[in-house]
Amino acid sequence: MTGRFITFEGGDGAGKSTQIRRLAERLGEAGKSVVTTREPGGTPLAESIRNVILSGGARGFGAEGEALLFGAARADHVEKLIRPALLAGQWVLSDRFLDSTHVYQGLAGGVDETLLAALDRVTVGRTRPDLTVILDLPAELGLQRLAARQSAAGTAPDRFEGDALSLHQARRQAFLDIAAREPERCAVVDASRPEDGVADEIWRVVSARLLHPPRRPATRAGG
Ligand code: Z5A
């Protein structure tokens, strides 16, 4: 028996962590065993790479070097946490995964797609998401939410949050482009609405696509 793998993607401050918590609660109430995790991170080794990247300590490597570091963290995450959980029949909800590398380091960062696709094969192999929820909202709104959270917590923007608004806008479009190319895997959810409405729509998508998918017509042998 294998579990289900759902990734959450989108710009900074889109509400991914909030909505992962909400979905995990609902899936738990539905009797599913759920693991929540994040990228970069999820294992001790990957969390140590996270600290180096998000502090800006790896900026000197350039976007290509950072992509390799995200890949190293992801390989450990997949091998030690995601794949074993799926094999044990659990539902894994990850805050970011492959698409973030394609958007942040690839489409908006200039790293060659051929290199990123090769990296994907090495780091995750066939462990791909069953569903990717793309939380979409204007970049300005995501940044406002983060600024409010940071001023309440007294923290500073990380390596990527401080980038120019135009770059945040390009990333938003890049996520939408991925969703348009892969509609079977991706669902775009309007994340500019209040939290409850976003949670309800995500639940509808998960129910329709994974919990109660439409039955495929049976094929008759020799027909
Ligand atoms: N990165 C990369 O470059 N390449 C890669 O391959 C990977 C990642 C995997 C990870 O940072 C960074 O690494 C990320 C991309 C890059 N860029 N940055 N920065 P992170 O994990 O620290 O941050 P994040 O993934 O961008 O998440 P976030 O900034 O913490 O935001 P979020 O999880 O999407 O949102 P949230 O924490 O749930 O909500 C933000 C605030 O808004 C919070 O105060 C909420 O209470 C509030 N909120 C949430 N929903 C709502 C609604 N609906 N209305 C109003 N307010 C809301």
Side-chain angles (χ1 to χ4, degrees):
M1 178 182 163
T2 56
R4 293 296 190 162
F5 184 23
I6 306 177
T7 57
F8 281 68
E9 300 278 6
D12 302 349
K16 298 177 297 299
S17 322
T18 306
Q19 293 301 332
I20 283 180
R21 267 196 306 277
R22 304 275 305 244
L23 179 60
E25 276 168 25
R26 273 181 147 160
L27 285 170
E29 286 161 14
K32 303 296 178 193
S33 170
V34 181
V35 175
T36 63
T37 186
R38 67 174 182 183
E39 288 212 347
T43 63
L45 193 54
E47 288 289 332
S48 62
I49 295 177
R50 174 186 178 90
N51 292 336
V52 175
I53 300 175
L54 295 192
S55 65
R59 195 191 281 262
F61 286 130
E64 222 164 70
E66 285 183 322
L68 296 178
L69 286 175
F70 279 114
R74 180 164 301 133
D76 195 61
H77 188 205
V78 168
E79 185 193 330
K80 303 212 178 101
L81 188 146
I82 296 175
R83 210 172 278 145
L86 292 172
L87 285 172
Q90 294 183 292
W91 287 56
V92 178
L93 313 185
S94 183
D95 189 338
R96 299 194 181 279
F97 195 60
L98 286 180
D99 298 312
S100 282
T101 307
H102 287 263
V103 168
Y104 282 76
Q105 284 67 52
L107 300 169
V111 179
D112 183 51
E113 263 302 308
T114 317
L115 169 66
L116 294 182
L119 199 56
D120 292 349
R121 283 196 297 280
V122 174
T123 55
V124 315
R126 292 167 62 183
T127 307
R128 309 277 169 150
D130 296 298
L131 170 67
T132 297
V133 176
I134 295 184
L135 292 182
D136 179 58
L137 82 178
E140 296 89 329
L141 181 54
L143 295 174
Q144 274 168 26
R145 288 182 184 173
L146 283 188
R149 189 180 70 189
Q150 282 155 4
S151 95
T155 53
D158 71 24
R159 151 79 179 86
F160 299 95
E161 287 160 8
D163 286 334
L165 177 61
S166 56
L167 191 46
H168 286 282
Q169 288 165 335
R171 289 172 187 150
R172 177 190 188 192
Q173 188 55 52
F175 279 117
L176 292 174
D177 292 345
I178 289 174
R181 275 202 307 277
E182 296 185 61
E184 292 210 344
R185 170 174 70 88
C186 300
V188 177
V189 171
D190 176 0
S192 65
R193 295 167 300 162
E195 213 182 291
D196 286 351
V198 181
D200 286 345
E201 186 178 341
I202 292 171
W203 183 245
R204 273 195 295 278
V205 170
V206 170
S207 300
R209 296 204 189 187
L210 299 181
L211 286 169
H212 312 292
R215 285 170 191 265
R216 288 174 193 270
T219 48
R220 283 195 300 162

